[in-house]
Amino acid sequence: HVQLVESGGGSVETGGSLKLSCTSPTATYRPNCMGWFRQAPGKEREAVAAIRAGDGRTYYADSVKGRFIVSHDRSEKVVFLELPSLKPEDSSMYYCAASSTPCYERGWFLTSSYKYWSEGTQVTVS
């Protein structure tokens, strides 16, 4: 079993920023696609962004495109999600997810494309 550990959530005012990070302590696991999802109470889990290992290709949901930034470190084992200019509607539980399959255009946003998930970190914007 591969564990994903994330950090960086919290409470901020509208317009504030947060930076989430996610990594796998499992030394031998190297994901080919890392995604970020969020889920608000009473709503379905929705894709936010993803990044593909190797070429660093990124994918974004229309709702965050041009605002959120997904990246990874040089080892490609730590993935970040920068959340600038936060709005109340961004309030949600944020999850990172990992897949051994490379991200692809028609699948990166599907929860079924990912095998491993973090426990989530709360982002609250007031």
Side-chain angles (χ1 to χ4, degrees):
H1 178 71
V2 173
Q3 182 185 13
L4 297 179
V5 179
E6 65 177 309
S7 61
S11 297
V12 298
E13 294 185 347
T14 298
S17 301
L18 289 171
K19 185 173 183 178
L20 309 182
S21 65
C22 175
T23 189
S24 170
T26 305
T28 57
Y29 180 67
R30 295 198 174 276
N32 282 307
C33 181
M34 292 289 289
W36 288 96
F37 289 74
R38 65 186 181 184
Q39 186 169 20
K43 294 188 176 181
E44 291 187 358
R45 189 168 297 190
E46 63 173 354
V48 176
I51 186 166
R52 185 165 66 194
D55 61 6
R57 169 84 157 88
T58 56
Y59 305 81
Y60 293 97
D62 288 342
S63 59
V64 304
K65 193 176 296 182
R67 193 161 55 100
F68 290 2
I69 301 171
V70 62
S71 62
H72 55 208
D73 70 348
R74 294 186 68 177
S75 72
E76 298 183 334
K77 288 206 65 176
V78 184
V79 178
F80 305 98
L81 184 67
E82 295 179 61
L83 313 174
S85 305
L86 282 164
K87 309 172 184 179
E89 52 263 42
D90 294 317
S91 296
S92 196
M93 187 73 80
Y94 283 71
Y95 301 88
C96 65
S99 172
S100 298
T101 302
C103 309
Y104 59 103
E105 191 69 41
R106 286 190 278 183
W108 73 269
F109 51 87
L110 300 173
T111 57
S112 58
S113 294
Y114 301 87
K115 184 173 183 179
Y116 304 109
W117 291 83
S118 68
E119 293 188 353
T121 187
Q122 181 67 41
V123 170
T124 302
V125 186
S126 58

